[in-house]
Amino acid sequence: NRDERALRIATLDWEGLQAEAQACTACGLCKTRNKVVFGVGQPSTDWLVVGEAPGAEEDRQGEPFVGQAGKLLDNMLAAVGRSRQENVYILNTLKCRPPQNRNPQPDEMALCAPFLQRQVALIQPKVIFAVGRFAVQALLGRDASIASLRGQLHEYQGIPVVVSYHPAYLLRNLPDKIKAWQDLLLARKTLAERKAP
Ligand code: URA
C-alpha cells in the first residue's frame, strides 16, 4: 500500500531511487508519459531548484527545464554563478508530464512526493529555490500566492526555502523578473550565511 511504498522509497540510495522512479506506475501519468524526468545537475550541490512538472520537451528529452522556460531559468541561475553542468540540481515536483500540461492533481502530487522527499534527503542542499505554486504546495503544503510567500525564508526538512515565480510565468510577466532577481539574491545570501562559520 501507499505507506509501505513511501517507507521503502525513503530507504533507497540515489541509484535505487532513480530506478524506482523510472519504473513507477503509481499514478495514471505513467500511461501518457514518454520519459520519466528525474532531475538534472550535480546531486552533491548546495543549491536545489524545484519546479512543477515536465512539459512536452522535457517529456521527450527526459530532462527538466529544457524548453523556453528552462532557457530563462538557466539565464537566471547563470546570473548568480550557477549552472546545471556544474553546481546546481534541478528537479520537478512531478516526475511525469501531465497531459496537455494541465495542473498536477492532488493525488499525483501525493504519490510523487516520496521521490521529492528522498531526493532532498539525499542531496542535502543548503538552500531550495522553489519556483511556482505547485513547487510551493509540494514543499510547504500551502496553496498561497507566490507574491504573499516570496521575500521571506520558509523551510522543508529543516532546509531554508526561497519562493519565487515560475519562469514560464515570468515569460508572460516580464516586469516581475526584477522580483525573481531579488529572490535569487535572497537565496545566494541565505547560502552565504549558512556557510559562514
Ligand atoms: N516547467 C517546469 O516546472 N518544469 C520543467 O521541467 C519544465 C517546465
Side-chain angles (χ1 to χ4, degrees):
N1 67 24
R2 254 182 214 219
D3 289 345
E4 281 165 12
R5 173 179 171 270
L7 281 172
R8 192 170 44 77
I9 289 173
T11 66
L12 296 172
D13 65 10
W14 190 255
E15 284 71 35
L17 189 64
Q18 248 173 321
E20 179 87 18
Q22 293 300 333
C24 183
T25 56
C27 82
L29 297 182
C30 69
K31 298 195 190 102
T32 48
R33 74 174 178 230
N34 286 302
K35 291 205 172 138
V36 173
V37 182
F38 185 76
V40 70
Q42 309 308 318
S44 58
T45 188
D46 53 7
W47 183 311
L48 175 67
V49 177
V50 178
E52 179 177 322
E57 200 51 42
E58 289 77 20
D59 177 62
R60 253 193 298 277
Q61 295 191 33
E63 181 170 331
F65 284 103
V66 289
Q68 254 213 316
K71 289 207 180 77
L72 175 56
L73 179 64
D74 281 345
N75 289 337
M76 288 165 58
L77 291 171
V80 287
R82 298 277 163 172
S83 75
R84 66 180 76 198
Q85 288 80 18
E86 281 180 272
N87 51 14
V88 75
Y89 197 83
I90 303 171
L91 56 78
N92 284 311
T93 300
L94 288 190
K95 309 304 181 220
C96 298
R97 182 194 183 199
Q100 276 79 51
N101 302 345
R102 65 155 168 73
N103 286 340
Q105 291 172 358
D107 208 45
E108 293 160 358
M109 301 261 298
L111 285 162
C112 218
F115 291 120
L116 173 65
Q117 279 159 21
R118 190 59 182 159
Q119 283 177 306
V120 174
L122 289 169
I123 294 171
Q124 286 292 316
K126 292 199 166 59
V127 71
I128 300 175
F129 194 70
V131 295
R133 187 175 139 217
F134 291 97
V136 166
Q137 266 186 37
L139 294 168
L140 308 181
R142 295 177 61 174
D143 190 10
S145 71
I146 299 300
S148 71
L149 296 174
R150 55 174 294 279
Q152 53 188 298
L153 291 181
H154 306 270
E155 234 182 63
Y156 178 75
Q157 291 183 11
I159 298 159
V161 176
V162 172
V163 168
S164 192
Y165 295 104
H166 194 286
Y169 164 88
L170 293 173
L171 288 172
R172 291 176 270 118
N173 299 271
L174 296 180
D176 277 337
K177 273 195 191 173
I178 183 77
K179 295 179 192 159
W181 171 244
Q182 290 162 357
D183 300 333
L184 286 166
L185 294 182
L186 174 59
R188 187 166 75 173
K189 174 164 156 271
T190 303
L191 203 58
E193 285 169 1
R194 280 205 115 199
K195 278 184 169 168

